[in-house]
Amino acid sequence: MKTYLVTGGAGFIGSNYIHYLFQKYGDDVYVINLDKLTYAGNLENLDDVATKKNYRFVRGDICQADVVDPLVKEADVVVNFAAESHVDRSIGAPDAFIKTDVYGAFILLEAARRHGVEKFIQISTDEVYGSIIDGSFKETDILEPSSPYSASKAGADRLAYSYFVTYQLPVIITRCSNNFGPYQYPEKLIPLFVTNALEDKSLPIYGDGKNVRDWIYVLDHCDAVDFLIYHGKPGQVYNIGGGNERTNIEITDLILTYLKKPHTLKTFIQDRLGHDRRYSVDTAKITALGWVPEHKFERAMNSTIQWYVDNRSWWGKLKSGEYREFYKANYNKEL
Ligand code: NAD
Ligand code: TYD
């Protein structure tokens, strides 16, 4: 039985990953979830596993060596999801991004170096490559991150690599495309637009809305990460993608059509600063190992939209009070 230390396990992808682990391994896994519970961390995401004997939640910061050290010592595998993850916030206030995404990763890597682990998975992102108009990025392409968020992720990505080269720490780095699914904080495109539409509010599309993202269902990302723990080669980077490139307008239309809401809710607003036009990754490397995403885009999108319809109590709280005020004040748009 392996012990997994999952950092950022109370966030969107981390909580889906913990569900995935229990679904896959049942009682034959021990999961420690280390999460600071920032605005993006929500223990409600894990209500159904909270009392399991093979699960433990630790509230703590990955930047704090004394918190991290004993947990890494206990772990066979570390999967580092913990991060500040929203590009818009990184434009207004980059500090926390540098602290958590770079320094936090450093603290985890140092603990792993001290104690030794079977695998250290650094969850990076396709955004580290920057924007691409034609074609798709390969793992060997140069990194040209363009937001403080993606630059902080690139820093951690390369730092993790250096721990493989310098100390032979068995690090694997994943660069996944945009995820969608349940439990995503309603400030990101899909949950923001679904919940706004449900409240008959406008959907604020940046610029001309023709920016392209490659969307992957979150459980496919989780499956790829776990696959790489067993089949990936230490020191290697792996792109992960869904193969579903869509413009933001296409995503918005799909949401409005599913919810039978008027397309006049679409509102074009001032573009995001430094807004990357298109992300696209070449996934031949992970495909060659035998991994492909399972979920079909349209069906997974529909079930995701329906999840937000059915779980109003989950997002209703997040879209009220102080967060709404924060959003209005900082981004001049409704959350
Ligand atoms: P999220 O913002 O929903 O969750 C981040 C979690 O990390 C939260 O639970 C938060 O409380 C926790 N956290 C933040 N700072 C921390 C700290 N200092 N110590 C401990 N915990 C801390 O993010 P997400 O969308 O689930 O993304 C998870 C990871 O996947 C991130 O590393 C992100 O860069 C990466 N990623 C995300 C996507 C995507 O589409 N969402 C795509 C590729 C990669
Ligand atoms: P987002 O979900 O923030 O992910 P990322 O910027 O990391 O790809 O945004 C996805 C796309 O949607 C991106 O091109 C920006 C756009 N977008 C809007 O047009 N309006 C919004 O309110 C948000 C949050 C995003």
Side-chain angles (χ1 to χ4, degrees), residues 255-297:
I255 291 169
L256 290 170
T257 302
Y258 180 89
L259 294 174
K260 299 190 174 59
K261 293 286 182 179
H263 287 240
T264 47
L265 286 177
K266 284 190 280 189
T267 311
F268 291 87
I269 63 166
Q270 194 183 357
D271 209 353
R272 173 188 274 176
L273 296 177
H275 195 177
D276 284 329
R277 193 65 173 166
R278 175 171 172 261
Y279 295 138
S280 182
V281 283
D282 180 330
T283 55
K285 187 168 170 182
I286 190 170
T287 305
L289 290 183
W291 184 86
V292 285
E294 249 182 38
H295 294 85
K296 293 273 164 277
F297 178 71

Side-chain angles (χ1 to χ4, degrees), residues 67-135:
V67 172
V68 163
D69 203 72
L71 302 179
V72 171
K73 187 173 179 192
E74 213 180 318
D76 300 304
V77 176
V78 176
V79 186
N80 181 27
F81 289 102
E84 288 293 334
S85 68
H86 190 40
V87 174
D88 288 336
R89 287 179 187 251
S90 86
I91 294 167
D95 322 35
F97 288 75
I98 310 310
K99 285 188 187 119
T100 289
D101 301 10
V102 186
Y103 187 72
F106 159 70
I107 292 295
L108 283 167
L109 287 161
E110 271 297 288
R113 172 160 88 93
R114 260 193 307 279
H115 298 296
V117 289
E118 283 177 26
K119 286 277 159 52
F120 185 107
I121 310 295
Q122 174 59 24
I123 305 294
S124 189
T125 163
D126 65 349
E127 301 191 27
V128 297
Y129 296 112
S131 187
I132 187 165
I133 296 304
D134 299 308

Side-chain angles (χ1 to χ4, degrees), residues 48-304:
D48 54 332
V49 303
T51 57
K52 284 177 94 54
K53 284 197 288 292
N54 50 338
Y55 169 76
R56 189 160 103 235
F57 171 68
V58 178
R59 184 171 190 178
D61 189 335
I62 59 163
C63 297
Q64 248 183 285
D66 58 334
V67 172
V68 163
D69 203 72
L71 302 179
V72 171
K73 187 173 179 192
E74 213 180 318
D76 300 304
V77 176
V78 176
V79 186
N80 181 27
F81 289 102
E84 288 293 334
S85 68
H86 190 40
V87 174
D88 288 336
R89 287 179 187 251
S90 86
I91 294 167
D95 322 35
F97 288 75
I98 310 310
K99 285 188 187 119
T100 289
D101 301 10
V102 186
Y103 187 72
F106 159 70
I107 292 295
L108 283 167
L109 287 161
E110 271 297 288
R113 172 160 88 93
R114 260 193 307 279
H115 298 296
V117 289
E118 283 177 26
K119 286 277 159 52
F120 185 107
I121 310 295
Q122 174 59 24
I123 305 294
S124 189
T125 163
D126 65 349
E127 301 191 27
V128 297
Y129 296 112
S131 187
I132 187 165
I133 296 304
D134 299 308
S136 305
F137 286 118
K138 288 192 189 331
E139 288 84 350
T140 46
D141 283 330
I142 60 161
L143 307 186
E144 285 189 310
S146 39
S147 71
Y149 162 66
S150 52
S152 72
K153 293 297 293 184
D157 178 314
R158 292 299 78 198
L159 191 63
Y161 178 69
S162 79
Y163 272 64
F164 169 73
V165 177
T166 309
Y167 309 114
Q168 291 79 53
L169 189 72
V171 166
I172 288 176
I173 296 143
T174 63
R175 296 182 184 150
C176 189
S177 62
N178 284 61
N179 286 220
F180 66 96
Y183 305 111
Q184 188 169 27
Y185 195 82
E187 64 182 354
K188 304 279 169 69
L189 178 73
I190 290 174
L192 177 69
F193 281 17
V194 172
T195 57
N196 272 17
L198 287 170
E199 294 183 307
D200 298 306
K201 288 187 188 151
S202 64
L203 311 189
I205 301 172
Y206 293 142
D208 64 5
K210 292 184 182 153
N211 304 65
V212 172
R213 298 291 184 264
D214 166 29
W215 294 95
I216 183 171
Y217 187 58
V218 63
L219 288 178
D220 280 330
H221 182 191
C222 294
D223 190 50
V225 168
D226 214 55
F227 173 87
L228 289 171
I229 290 172
Y230 297 96
H231 303 283
K233 204 170 147 212
Q236 296 291 307
V237 176
Y238 294 91
N239 289 339
I240 303 167
N244 305 300
E245 292 191 24
R246 300 287 187 281
T247 64
N248 294 335
I249 293 179
E250 286 172 322
I251 295 290
T252 310
D253 285 334
L254 202 151
I255 291 169
L256 290 170
T257 302
Y258 180 89
L259 294 174
K260 299 190 174 59
K261 293 286 182 179
H263 287 240
T264 47
L265 286 177
K266 284 190 280 189
T267 311
F268 291 87
I269 63 166
Q270 194 183 357
D271 209 353
R272 173 188 274 176
L273 296 177
H275 195 177
D276 284 329
R277 193 65 173 166
R278 175 171 172 261
Y279 295 138
S280 182
V281 283
D282 180 330
T283 55
K285 187 168 170 182
I286 190 170
T287 305
L289 290 183
W291 184 86
V292 285
E294 249 182 38
H295 294 85
K296 293 273 164 277
F297 178 71
E298 273 74 18
R299 191 189 290 190
M301 263 299 283
N302 289 346
S303 77
T304 296

